[in-house]
């Protein structure tokens, strides 16, 4: 009976690696893309040639290896070393070079800013290839687990519980020693004394952690990865994580801006919005976001920079009244911009003295507001339905950002169909990266390094999607004709207006030539 037979492994052949790789293999696109890049302009560290020892590898080798690895879901340096030794595609891509896993890992740790710049440069390629519009996009974030367990994350209450336990156990050990002395026993208590010494050392470490938090003003501290934070993941579940932000263009669902932070979404909208606008050099754009991003200050910053937001708003509450019926909720009071007054549901006018008051949400977050009142509350027949305050009557507070918030709310209600596209624009990206690729955690420590890795992950996501949209052949042609503009990837934030009413903003924007920070940050 006939059977298909293989080629003898002892047969000599005259061939080349190139014949083993088909013309439509993605590694050919990877090779062209990396070879086009001028890695020194992107900020990759140069390999220093030592007089003694083995020569180092060029950065281009590691970049190709990581691009291939992340493309196929491999990011362990040891696994990448093994693949480089046995994988025919990597033999072709790296010309049979096999770097050591330690060198592979060091490349990723030492070049986070350069990896971020690769992402930004690829966004320029997307724009020049007409794959992104830059008109409408959606913003969202996802939590990725940090290399720090919850056990090694502390807050004041947790430290207090540990100190109470240590003091209790220490007292028990001392009682045991005292009982032994009173009974005039000759038993050895060296084990107990050693435990007391260890408890004293542990107590000192917790006290020092408490002082560290007090001096830094941070509400928590992580000991394995100091930059990671315990954040709410979903429901009441808390994990020690980082928060990866992404702005996604509507046209082909490609990521146009990304950075990683270690706080929640509430104060994150303007930073990712400004980064998206800068990466695309857009004059104006519209961004969609869920209610977790609703923040008057953040919306105001976007408005000042010609970024139109459509952010779902939270349920309105009354700031100083209890027992208010739905008919007299704050949204039923109509604001009159011409006279700077409010009209209540029974047509009474609330006025303000024009004094600005300050309210702080946290140590580094505050805003100003004005108060509106009316003397008509004293004789109002429905006062008991409007306010529970016994003195002074109903009081309305209006934030300095209220105009921007009202405009955002109006856009939200006028564009329900557009807002419903938010989930289909950006939700699947995080599902693909975390569930399909398995990149729901990081093994790197430090915000700067994690930022570099997840920026590169987003670049690989875009890279993979472009191959699906254009195909291998067309992508190769576009890359061969592409001339990267390195001047645009370091667009300084000073070109943008960053002033909100009565509050200057200190800002930092990643610039390959002048800045060492890992992402755009806005510190208010």
């Amino acid at each position: 009976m006939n059977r298909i037979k293989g080629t003898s492994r002892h047969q000599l052949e005259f061939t080349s690696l190139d014949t083993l790789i088909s013309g439509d293999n993605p590694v050919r696109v990877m090779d062209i893309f990396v070879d086009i890049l001028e890695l020194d302009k992107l900020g990759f560290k140069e390999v220093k040639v030592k007089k003694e020892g083995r020569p180092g590898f060029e950065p281009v080798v590691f970049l190709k290896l990581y691009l291939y690895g992340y493309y196929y879901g491999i990011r362990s340096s040891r696994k990448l070393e093994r693949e480089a030794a046995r994988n025919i595609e990597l033999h072709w891509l790296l010309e049979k070079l096999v770097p050591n896993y330690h060198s592979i890992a060091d490349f990723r740790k030492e070049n986070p800013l350069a990896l971020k710049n690769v992402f930004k440069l690829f966004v320029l390629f997307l724009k020049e290839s007409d794959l992104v519009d830059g008109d409408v996009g959606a913003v969202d974030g996802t939590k990725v687990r940090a290399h720090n367990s919850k056990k090694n994350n502390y807050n004041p209450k947790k430290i207090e519980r540990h100190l109470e336990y240590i003091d209790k156990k220490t007292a028990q050990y001392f009682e045991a020693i005292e009982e032994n002395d009173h009974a005039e026993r000759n038993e050895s208590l060296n084990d107990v004394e050693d435990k007391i010494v260890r408890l004293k050392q542990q107590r000192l470490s917790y006290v020092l952690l408490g002082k560290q938090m007090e001096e830094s003003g941070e509400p928590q501290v992580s000991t394995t990865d100091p930059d990671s934070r315990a954040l709410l993941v979903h429901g009441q579940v808390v994990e020690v994580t980082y928060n990866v932000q992404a702005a996604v263009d509507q046209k082909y669902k490609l990521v146009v801006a990304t950075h990683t932070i270690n706080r929640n979404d509430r104060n994150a909208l303007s930073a990712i919005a400004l980064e998206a606008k800068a990466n695309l050099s857009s004059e104006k754009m519209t961004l969609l976001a869920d209610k977790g991003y609703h923040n008057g200050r953040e919306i105001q910053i976007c408005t000042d920079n010609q970024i139109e937001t459509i952010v779902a708003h939270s349920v309105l509450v009354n700031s100083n009244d209890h027992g208010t019926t739905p008919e007299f909720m704050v949204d039923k009071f109509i604001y009159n911009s011409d006279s700077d007054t409010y009209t209540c549901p029974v047509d009474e006018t609330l006025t303000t003295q024009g004094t600005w008051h300050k309210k702080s949400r946290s140590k580094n977050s505050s805003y100003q507001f004005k108060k509106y009142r009316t003397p008509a509350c004293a004789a109002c027949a429905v006062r008991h339905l409007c306010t529970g305050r016994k003195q002074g009557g109903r009081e309305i507070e209006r934030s300095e950002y209220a105009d921007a918030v009202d405009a955002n709310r109006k856009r939200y209600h006028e564009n329900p169909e557009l807002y419903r596209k938010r989930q289909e624009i950006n939700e699947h990206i995080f599902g693909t990266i975390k569930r399909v690729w398995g990149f729901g955690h990081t093994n790197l420590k430090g915000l700067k390094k994690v930022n570099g890795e997840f920026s590169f992950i987003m670049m690989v996501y875009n890279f993979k999607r472009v191959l699906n949209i254009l195909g291998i052949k067309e992508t190769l042609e576009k890359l061969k004709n592409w001339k990267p503009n390195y001047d645009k990837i370091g667009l300084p934030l000073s070109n943008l207006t960053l002033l909100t009413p009565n509050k200057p903003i200190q800002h930092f924007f990643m610039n390959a030539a002048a800045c060492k920070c890992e992402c755009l940050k806005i510190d208010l």
Side-chain angles (χ1 to χ4, degrees), residues 351-362:
T351 59
T352 179
Q353 294 181 347
T355 304
W356 286 99
H357 305 270
K358 185 177 181 180
K359 182 177 288 187
S360 298
R361 290 185 176 274
S362 63

Side-chain angles (χ1 to χ4, degrees), residues 163 165-166 197-207:
L163 292 175
Y165 174 80
I166 290 173
V197 172
R198 287 198 297 271
L199 286 173
K200 287 182 177 179
Q201 292 173 344
Q202 291 174 4
R203 194 181 198 287
L204 178 60
S205 65
Y206 289 128
V207 170

Side-chain angles (χ1 to χ4, degrees), residues 172-337:
Q172 290 175 357
Y173 289 142
F174 276 120
E175 287 176 7
I177 294 175
E178 188 175 350
E179 288 177 6
N180 184 69
D181 292 341
H182 283 306
E184 297 183 354
R185 299 171 186 164
N186 294 322
E187 297 177 8
S188 175
L189 295 177
N190 289 336
D191 183 50
V192 174
E193 291 173 353
D194 290 341
K195 289 180 179 179
I196 291 174
V197 172
R198 287 198 297 271
L199 286 173
K200 287 182 177 179
Q201 292 173 344
Q202 291 174 4
R203 194 181 198 287
L204 178 60
S205 65
Y206 289 128
V207 170
L208 292 175
L209 279 176
K211 288 184 177 179
Q212 178 183 337
M213 276 189 288
E214 186 178 346
E215 292 173 358
S216 65
E218 291 287 338
Q220 58 176 288
V221 61
S222 299
T223 55
T224 306
D225 181 357
D227 287 342
S228 62
R229 295 289 181 270
L231 300 174
L232 195 65
V233 178
H234 58 82
Q236 300 298 317
V237 179
V238 175
E239 296 287 352
V240 183
T241 62
Y242 286 101
N243 189 356
V244 181
Q245 299 289 306
V248 185
D249 188 74
Q250 182 185 28
K251 187 173 184 179
Y252 285 115
K253 317 302 187 289
L254 293 164
V255 184
V256 294
T258 184
H259 61 248
T260 304
I261 57 178
N262 57 1
R263 60 185 187 276
N264 59 29
D265 293 338
R266 178 171 172 76
N267 298 300
L269 179 62
S270 63
I272 190 67
L274 290 170
E275 185 179 346
K277 187 171 183 288
N279 286 352
L280 297 173
S281 301
S282 300
E283 293 185 4
K284 60 180 181 178
M285 63 190 310
T286 300
L287 284 181
L288 317 174
D290 62 38
K291 64 182 180 181
Y293 287 90
H294 195 278
N295 181 321
R297 179 194 61 217
E298 298 293 304
I299 293 172
Q300 181 70 64
I301 295 172
C302 291
T303 301
D304 291 343
N305 289 280
Q306 291 75 52
I307 300 173
E308 195 174 75
T309 60
I310 302 180
V311 184
H313 54 82
S314 303
V315 177
L316 289 171
V317 297
N318 293 291
S319 59
N320 53 27
D321 291 289
H322 303 281
T324 301
T325 59
E327 294 80 9
F328 291 90
M329 292 291 283
V330 68
D331 61 326
K332 301 299 189 296
F333 287 68
I334 301 172
Y335 179 69
N336 312 297
S337 57

Side-chain angles (χ1 to χ4, degrees), residues 27 42 68 86 113 121 130 259 269 352 359 384 396 428:
V27 296
L42 290 170
Y68 181 92
R86 70 180 184 179
L113 179 59
L121 195 66
D130 198 29
H259 61 248
L269 179 62
T352 179
K359 182 177 288 187
H384 64 288
I396 299 292
H428 69 94

Side-chain angles (χ1 to χ4, degrees), residues 37 40 117 120 125 216 354 367 413 418 475 483-484 498 518:
L37 304 178
D40 56 332
N117 284 338
K120 295 181 71 177
F125 170 75
S216 65
Y367 67 93
H413 289 296
L418 178 59
T475 305
K483 294 182 180 180
L498 280 179
E518 70 285 353

